Amino acid sequence: MTDRATHPDHHRADGWRPLLSRLLPWVGLAAAVGVVVWAFWWPGHSGEQVYPRAPRNASDREVPPLHGLWEPKWWGPGTAPAVLLALLAWRYAARVADRLSWRTLLLTSYAVGLGWLCSLALVDGSEGLTRQLGNPYEYLVTAREVTDVPALLDTWQSRMPLYSDGAFPTHVAGHPPAALLFFVGLVRVGLGGDLAASVVVVLVAASTAPAVMVALRALDAEGTARRAAPFLVLAPTAVFAAVSGDAVFAALGAWGIACLALGATAARRGPALAWSALAGLLLGTVVMMSYGLPLLGVVAVAVLLAARSWLPLPVAAASALVVVLGFAAAGWAWWDYYPVLVDRYEEGIAKDRPEDYWRWANLALLFLSAGPLVGAGVAHLLATTREGLRRHRAPLLLAAAGVLMVAAADASGMSKAEVERIWLPFMPWLLVSCALLPERWRRWGLALQLLTALVVQHLFYTVW
């Protein structure tokens, strides 16, 4: 038998692994920053028109790749609480996440996340919460006009083309009907005002981080969940999530995955089946909210691989089909409407967005919204050893699923610009990678994430 300690190949492997582990996060961070810098620099340098927004007037100071304007604001009503929360989080978040009981940690994560979302939005004053949902391109204005849901579904296809009579606004036409029906429901229960609906969106959005933490703990990765908590709760995604319907999709998708993880790891068959059925209902609903979210099936498969259990698959798939086929029975079949969506997409501003630019600029937007530390976290995955895979199987699989979902969405050509909000459902799973970075990275890396959120919120007018 060959003694491992004296074998020269093992010496070389053991020598390279620590170096690779130290080097790759720096390479990933540098790549993330480099892509962001290039994406901002290229349009002005090349003169290429990349159109992140539809042209409005000559005074607009567009800042591709962001779907927003250059509009620095050095102070706003939310500035002081946002900065204070960032400082406290940088100083204490990791310690608190490690010491609190699990239930208290979840509640604290929700409360802190809610405060982070609201304080950043309120940098722009109260309109920071209300301006987007009250935008006629969004869902809420159309939701107020809906009086007959069956008639709405019957006429849906005729209203999808851009130049049709009674054409839907951009976001309504660009999503399956459950997205609009969510807001129709708010209107029906008296929460259809701009502020009231915005508060509901924020309350739902703040639950995304606890959902991911629940999924990790169910998969026997509570330690990683605790280390991930500060990055999930205080991510720069909050800049774009507080006023975006996509934040609702992200939260429902995350809870669907959490339920699937609970179903896959439940000790008794009854609870396993119940959690799996609930997971399918949530994930089926999310599929009927956004055409891109069947990609969450990638992270669902990662959960089942991590749990080494396929028991939830038929139950979750069947309950998801109940939702999808229920809409089909009502006259709205996902597979019939997706080709119509592609036509509408190419009719609009997407046709003026050059794919060679946006293929990379999308990644820049990802690193602005999820934070540049994600570049370091994802690169660090490449240094995973066999021992690391054994110890961190679940978080590695979830983070890898995040990478695959983003890669597929980017390659599809149906995500050109605006992914700072469109990819919100994928970003929490990428952020799990930050918890796997070495401790020396996590402390100052959290500071970088917090600073990114504050800078983006204060320098740009983001319309989400």
Side-chain angles (χ1 to χ4, degrees), residues 231-291:
F231 300 102
L232 292 165
V233 172
L234 297 156
T237 51
V239 173
F240 307 99
V243 290
S244 171
D246 294 82
V248 174
F249 313 157
L252 294 181
W255 280 111
I257 296 300
C259 290
L260 187 67
L262 291 167
T265 55
R268 292 183 293 122
R269 191 176 185 85
L273 296 177
W275 283 119
S276 301
L278 181 56
L281 291 174
L282 287 169
L283 293 172
T285 300
V286 167
V287 165
M288 296 306 299
M289 286 182 152
S290 176
Y291 288 101

Side-chain angles (χ1 to χ4, degrees), residues 2-8 10-11 14:
T2 302
D3 184 355
R4 183 174 186 266
T6 60
H7 197 288
H10 287 302
H11 281 301
D14 291 345

Side-chain angles (χ1 to χ4, degrees), residues 260 273 276-285 311-326:
L260 187 67
L273 296 177
S276 301
L278 181 56
L281 291 174
L282 287 169
L283 293 172
T285 300
L311 172 66
L313 181 59
V315 178
S319 56
L321 281 174
V322 167
V323 178
V324 176
L325 296 180

Side-chain angles (χ1 to χ4, degrees), residues 45-181:
H45 170 77
S46 67
E48 184 177 23
Q49 295 295 327
V50 298
Y51 294 112
R53 301 168 70 242
R56 287 171 174 81
N57 58 67
S59 63
D60 281 356
R61 292 182 292 173
E62 290 190 340
V63 280
L66 275 172
H67 192 275
L69 304 175
W70 171 256
E71 194 173 287
K73 42 196 173 292
W74 307 111
W75 192 264
T79 300
V83 171
L84 178 61
L85 188 54
L87 290 172
L88 290 172
W90 178 72
R91 181 69 177 84
Y92 298 109
R95 187 185 311 172
V96 169
D98 185 55
R99 295 182 180 179
L100 290 179
S101 69
W102 178 251
R103 182 172 297 179
T104 304
L105 175 60
L106 290 180
L107 293 173
T108 302
S109 296
Y110 180 80
V112 173
L114 186 60
W116 185 234
L117 285 160
C118 291
S119 60
L120 286 172
L122 290 172
V123 168
D124 293 328
S126 60
E127 75 159 11
L129 284 173
T130 60
R131 70 184 177 218
Q132 184 56 24
L133 288 184
N135 186 315
Y137 292 95
E138 278 277 354
Y139 311 97
L140 195 55
V141 172
T142 302
R144 293 173 186 145
E145 300 169 354
V146 175
T147 58
D148 186 335
V149 172
L152 173 73
L153 297 178
D154 286 342
T155 59
W156 194 282
Q157 185 165 345
S158 66
R159 300 178 65 182
M160 284 184 70
L162 181 60
Y163 301 108
S164 61
D165 291 336
F168 281 134
T170 303
H171 284 206
V172 176
H175 292 79
L180 176 62
L181 293 178

Side-chain angles (χ1 to χ4, degrees), residues 340-424:
V340 185
L341 165 76
V342 174
D343 293 339
R344 168 66 188 250
Y345 186 69
E346 294 301 333
E347 283 181 323
I349 193 173
K351 69 179 183 300
D352 298 319
R353 292 170 172 168
E355 194 163 332
D356 57 346
Y357 171 78
W358 287 107
R359 186 84 70 193
W360 298 100
N362 283 345
L363 299 180
L365 291 171
L366 171 70
F367 294 131
L368 284 176
S369 187
L373 193 66
V374 165
V378 168
H380 185 63
L381 299 179
L382 300 175
T384 303
T385 62
R386 184 174 300 177
E387 173 65 16
L389 180 58
R390 187 187 65 80
R391 292 177 54 207
H392 301 295
R393 176 182 173 85
L396 285 166
L397 284 169
L398 294 179
V403 174
L404 289 175
M405 288 187 292
V406 164
D410 200 28
S412 73
M414 293 294 289
S415 294
K416 291 187 290 186
E418 306 181 50
V419 300
E420 62 266 42
R421 62 163 183 86
I422 295 171
W423 288 355
L424 284 174

